[in-house]
Amino acid sequence: MQRVCLALPTMRPCPGTIVDLAEEAAYAVATFGVEVHLLVLDTTDAAGFAKNADAVASLAPTPGVFVHHLGNEQQREFLRGVAERSGGADPALLLDLMLPDAVAYGSCVNRLFLGAAALGCTSAHLRNDDFDYQVVDGRKMFPIHHELLSIGRPAGEAVAGVSRSELDPADADKPVMLVSGSFIGELNVDIGEIHELDPAVYREIVRLWTPPVWPEEDRDAMVDVSFKGAGAESFSSDESVLGVPDIWDVYMCNIALDHRAYEVLPLLPSIETIGCDYALLHALVHSRLPGVVHKRHIVNYYTPERRIGAGFISYQLRFVKFLLSMLYLYPVYGGMIDLGRGLLDERHELKVEPIVDLVRGSVDWDRAGNEHCLDVLDRSYRKLGGKYAELADVVAGQRQRLLDEAREDAERWAVLVESWAGMVAAARAEGLRVGADG
């Protein structure tokens, strides 16, 4: 029986999301006859964890659905065992890369990947704790419907499960390692208020994340589409397309990934940095592997703590670090584009060696571009005034640390990529000894 992992990382109370995901898991079992492991990795405080645990305890038993809810200590115990079994030279460093004492979006997804490997799952289906499903005629539009039709299958067989195929016949034997929808609702980066305050400043800030080597008109076009997903495109028809996806059509919180993808390349373990979890998607897209995109977009919304006081400063600093991270990521992505199908081995699976070389080669990139980025942000935030002027002061006070950490994040990613195969093998051997039939 096919065993899959429906995965949720969370750092806040989200009992409603847990209930919804259990419903999606039950749908998958009833519709596709699979075994679903609902894996919730929870880094909330004790009170928040208790609320999520109550939601798990309240779930109605569903044959074929197994629910695993791990808090910080359970995750640490599992990951310590993985790090020590992995054969890595520095298990303590590997543990820190996987479960740091700070918010790390890439690390939390990497933990899900190792959890899926430990559970013996062949695919991971990723969601987030700040989304809703679209509802049509009283039915929730579960993305797992399209995901299970195609994920892991040879593309030539997946044709039968999509409404349109743009597959190159030469790619028929290649596996579908990515199935994704997008999102509607609010921007997936919480900077809409900047646009409301000053559209020109918004464009100048967003432009900082566009590739500086691109022509001006291409950078402007990228600003226009950035962070908007499918915009206001509410569900109209259940369409799906098989072919080489566009990176703009995939979304990390509405995606299924085959184990032959995430067991090769981990995400960046960057601290306090949003948007650091897309490197694997770039590798899959730029290697020209077939994938499926569909229109069961999720509905994105914001949690209120990121808009006021310390929560506002913390979130916006994560955005600043995202902008700085691109100095080291764009050389990697550009190299992936140049390599194209050269990223794949004879089994049509990702090769890690060329990716490691690209990551290592980016570490010593001239950081003058990041100096310029911080200069533009300082000017822009002060022009906006109010809490953004306060943000400018905070960024200015941490300028050197932010520059250093952006480079260190690239170095830490290289270490993790080189260690990943051993950690995946260790996770399989370690197993995940928690959870009960849901």
Side-chain angles (χ1 to χ4, degrees):
M1 178 182 291
Q2 183 180 1
R3 182 182 296 179
V4 305
C5 180
L6 182 57
L8 174 69
T10 185
M11 56 182 183
R12 61 176 65 90
C14 58
T17 302
I18 292 171
V19 171
D20 282 346
L21 286 175
E23 187 178 344
E24 185 173 18
Y27 172 87
V29 171
T31 307
F32 295 96
V34 297
E35 178 179 299
V36 180
H37 288 258
L38 174 52
L39 178 59
V40 182
L41 297 188
D42 190 339
T43 55
T44 55
D45 58 19
F49 184 87
K51 291 180 181 178
N52 291 337
D54 286 344
V56 170
S58 72
L59 297 175
T62 302
V65 175
F66 298 82
V67 183
H68 313 273
H69 180 211
L70 281 71
N72 268 306
E73 289 311 308
Q74 290 171 299
Q75 293 179 57
R76 187 172 299 280
E77 179 184 359
F78 166 66
L79 294 166
R80 182 180 292 111
V82 169
E84 291 173 351
R85 278 178 179 257
S86 70
D90 191 343
L93 173 60
L94 295 179
L95 180 59
D96 184 59
L97 294 176
M98 294 301 301
L99 190 62
D101 294 326
V103 174
Y105 296 95
S107 293
C108 72
V109 180
N110 287 337
R111 296 197 295 274
L112 292 171
F113 290 158
L114 290 185
L119 291 166
C121 296
T122 57
S123 57
H125 304 252
L126 305 181
R127 307 291 183 258
N128 207 348
D129 59 8
D130 51 4
F131 86 97
D132 288 320
Y133 299 104
Q134 292 193 75
V135 179
V136 178
D137 297 328
R139 294 186 302 117
K140 294 175 182 175
M141 293 292 100
F142 295 127
I144 208 164
H145 176 85
H146 287 294
E147 293 169 351
L148 289 178
L149 283 171
S150 300
I151 194 68
R153 299 180 65 183
E157 295 180 11
V159 170
V162 298
S163 55
R164 188 171 86 251
S165 175
E166 298 175 354
L167 182 70
D168 184 331
D171 292 339
D173 292 336
K174 294 178 180 175
V176 174
M177 293 199 194
L178 177 159
V179 180
S180 185
S182 187
F183 68 94
I184 62 173
E186 298 182 278
L187 302 180
N188 68 334
V189 175
D190 194 352
I191 56 173
E193 184 184 57
I194 297 176
H195 188 274
E196 295 171 4
L197 292 170
D198 192 324
V201 168
Y202 171 88
R203 292 191 67 86
E204 187 170 23
I205 290 176
V206 174
R207 190 180 178 81
L208 291 171
W209 98 282
T210 64
V213 298
W214 278 13
E216 295 300 308
E217 59 270 22
D218 291 343
R219 297 182 72 186
D220 288 338
M222 184 169 166
V223 171
D224 291 335
V225 300
S226 290
F227 315 128
K228 296 178 181 178
E233 182 189 343
S234 58
F235 188 89
S236 58
S237 57
D238 214 5
E239 299 176 15
S240 55
V241 181
L242 172 66
V244 177
D246 189 307
I247 194 67
W248 293 101
D249 293 331
V250 296
Y251 182 47
M252 199 61 181
C253 300
N254 183 9
I255 200 164
L257 294 164
D258 185 81
H259 73 103
R260 289 166 290 184
Y262 59 77
E263 290 180 357
V264 173
L265 181 63
L267 309 181
L268 276 78
S270 305
I271 302 298
E272 301 289 354
T273 307
I274 63 173
C276 59
D277 47 0
Y278 277 76
L280 176 57
L281 305 193
H282 278 270
L284 295 174
V285 168
H286 298 327
S287 64
R288 312 294 294 169
L289 278 169
V292 172
V293 295
H294 60 80
K295 290 194 173 182
R296 293 195 175 199
H297 308 316
I298 60 172
V299 183
N300 184 57
Y301 65 85
Y302 298 140
T303 50
E305 74 275 0
R306 66 178 63 174
R307 293 190 165 182
I308 58 173
F312 168 79
I313 296 295
S314 294
Y315 182 86
Q316 295 300 325
L317 280 174
R318 294 170 197 163
F319 176 66
V320 171
K321 289 197 66 178
F322 158 71
L323 296 176
L324 298 177
S325 73
M326 301 318 298
L327 177 73
Y328 303 99
L329 282 173
Y330 276 137
V332 176
Y333 297 163
M336 289 176 175
I337 292 171
D338 292 341
L339 286 168
R341 299 181 194 276
L343 288 167
L344 304 177
D345 62 19
E346 65 280 356
R347 296 171 299 175
H348 312 304
E349 297 175 14
L350 288 174
K351 295 187 294 187
V352 71
E353 294 81 5
I355 298 174
V356 170
D357 290 343
L358 291 172
V359 175
R360 287 289 184 197
S362 75
V363 169
D364 292 323
W365 209 254
D366 184 352
R367 68 185 193 182
N370 275 354
E371 297 273 8
H372 170 72
C373 176
L374 292 178
D375 291 342
V376 173
L377 287 173
D378 186 82
R379 180 176 69 248
S380 299
Y381 289 150
R382 295 189 190 284
K383 184 175 181 181
L384 293 172
K387 63 183 180 181
Y388 290 94
E390 178 186 350
L391 173 62
D393 290 338
V394 173
V395 172
Q398 299 185 21
R399 183 182 180 103
Q400 193 61 45
R401 180 183 68 81
L402 292 169
L403 291 168
D404 292 342
E405 285 186 358
R407 183 183 187 278
E408 291 166 5
D409 286 341
E411 293 176 326
R412 287 159 64 89
W413 185 32
V415 171
L416 188 59
V417 173
E418 291 172 331
S419 306
W420 192 242
M423 296 185 73
V424 169
R428 288 202 201 96
E430 187 79 6
L432 204 57
R433 298 179 293 274
V434 296
D437 192 342

